[in-house]
Amino acid sequence: MASDDWKGIVNQILYGLMFTPQLDDDTAGQMAAAMVERRYFGAGPDAYADAIVQALRYDGPLTDEIDTPHGEAGFRDFLGRLGTRLEALRPWPQTPA
């Protein structure tokens, strides 16, 4: 993944949460499953897992490009839980041919 591609992938996650009132564990689990199954999140679980790691290392804002009801701290916390749930679903299915 190019050095700045992760931000666009994280924006996909944030956009997917625009109408989600609570960033809870159930939401993290549902979103992780959708990533593994490539529902709504076509880049596949590898791309999202990598982007989450890079986002959590980034010290700049993650919610600055999309108007969202979720604050920076809440979104960062959710990304951490999402990453954990995504990793728990390994091994992921191979990329479809």
Side-chain angles (χ1 to χ4, degrees):
M1 176 180 315
S3 63
D4 59 351
D5 287 349
W6 66 267
K7 182 74 176 200
I9 292 173
V10 169
N11 281 342
Q12 290 177 27
I13 296 169
L14 185 58
Y15 183 81
L17 296 168
M18 286 183 61
F19 300 107
T20 303
Q22 295 183 16
L23 302 183
D24 56 18
D25 288 335
D26 288 338
T27 301
Q30 291 169 10
M31 187 171 273
M35 289 173 176
V36 170
E37 296 167 8
R38 296 175 184 264
R39 286 182 285 129
Y40 324 119
F41 298 98
D46 288 314
Y48 294 102
D50 290 345
I52 289 168
V53 168
Q54 290 185 51
L56 293 174
R57 289 181 183 156
Y58 180 64
D59 62 356
L62 300 176
T63 59
D64 60 326
E65 295 179 8
I66 295 178
D67 188 22
T68 176
H70 306 296
E72 184 71 23
F75 182 59
R76 282 182 175 275
D77 177 67
F78 178 79
L79 281 180
R81 287 183 282 126
L82 176 59
T84 298
R85 296 297 292 267
L86 192 54
E87 291 298 324
L89 295 174
R90 284 187 187 264
W92 301 320
Q94 294 297 315
T95 304

